[in-house]
Amino acid sequence: MSEHETGAGHQEPAGQEPVRLGMTSGDAAFLAVLGAALGAGAAALLPIAARWVEERGVPFPGILQLLASFDSDWLVWGRPVIGLVIGVVAALLIAHAEPVLHVSSDSVLIEKGDSKRRIRREDVAGVFRDGKKLIIETEQGRRLYDGEVEGKRDLVRATFVDRGYPWENEE
């Protein structure tokens, strides 16, 4: 049995900080840049898309045609700027809503948006992956956490195993 597969008796060294699992600031920055590019690109291509929709006779093109119909000179550069801002704001809202888990040997603190919830170690009977989701369950099968978490699969597993949580996947 390797060091990462030790059981529930494993304790963190004194002074060790909890491990943070979740979107990093670099991930959020990448998401913001991606959102900005997509927003600016979509807004810049709006008149072309509206023309295409109109030529094809697509039903209910109203909002697209309305947005594309504004043809002031400043909208040549203003529409992409507005799209860029909307893309960045949307990306930051998504990043803010992503869960972050702080895993220590005595509890898991889950932050999602502005809410925080703590799961005590003694309440956890099993931790496992179900596809992309991480599941934390009680002895009775009640799910204390059922959601995605950013992080490499091996890091997530090692974080829980190294702190004495019972990992149930055969990885």
Side-chain angles (χ1 to χ4, degrees):
M1 190 180 285
S2 76
E3 182 178 306
H4 288 294
E5 295 173 353
T6 57
H10 183 75
Q11 293 293 317
E12 290 176 346
Q16 183 178 1
E17 294 292 318
V19 173
R20 181 186 186 280
L21 299 173
M23 189 176 286
T24 65
S25 55
D27 294 336
F30 174 76
L31 191 60
V33 169
L34 183 63
L38 291 174
L45 295 174
L46 194 60
I48 296 167
R51 236 183 343 271
W52 184 84
V53 165
E54 189 175 347
E55 290 170 1
R56 301 290 184 278
V58 175
F60 311 110
I63 189 79
L64 187 62
Q65 288 176 336
L66 174 67
L67 292 173
S69 70
F70 301 119
D71 58 359
S72 298
D73 291 339
W74 71 272
L75 282 176
V76 171
W77 60 266
R79 193 179 289 121
V81 169
I82 293 168
L84 181 142
V85 170
I86 291 172
V88 168
V89 169
L92 294 177
L93 288 172
I94 290 168
H96 181 68
E98 283 293 307
V100 175
L101 280 63
H102 301 273
V103 183
S104 67
S105 60
D106 62 345
S107 67
V108 178
L109 176 64
I110 301 167
E111 296 178 319
K112 188 170 183 179
D114 293 329
S115 68
K116 293 181 181 182
R117 187 172 65 112
R118 186 172 300 276
I119 299 172
R120 296 177 312 164
R121 167 62 187 92
E122 56 265 17
D123 295 335
V124 177
V127 182
F128 61 94
R129 286 275 196 175
D130 185 10
K132 289 186 175 187
K133 289 186 169 187
L134 177 73
I135 312 294
I136 302 174
E137 286 186 333
T138 65
E139 190 69 40
Q140 296 77 26
R142 182 174 151 244
R143 291 190 173 188
L144 301 172
Y145 181 76
D146 181 351
E148 293 186 19
V149 63
E150 290 289 323
K152 294 182 179 175
R153 292 180 74 84
D154 292 342
L155 172 66
V156 172
R157 179 186 182 279
T159 296
F160 281 95
V161 170
D162 289 351
R163 280 151 185 80
Y165 290 85
W167 189 264
E168 296 181 352
N169 286 98
E170 294 292 327
E171 294 178 15

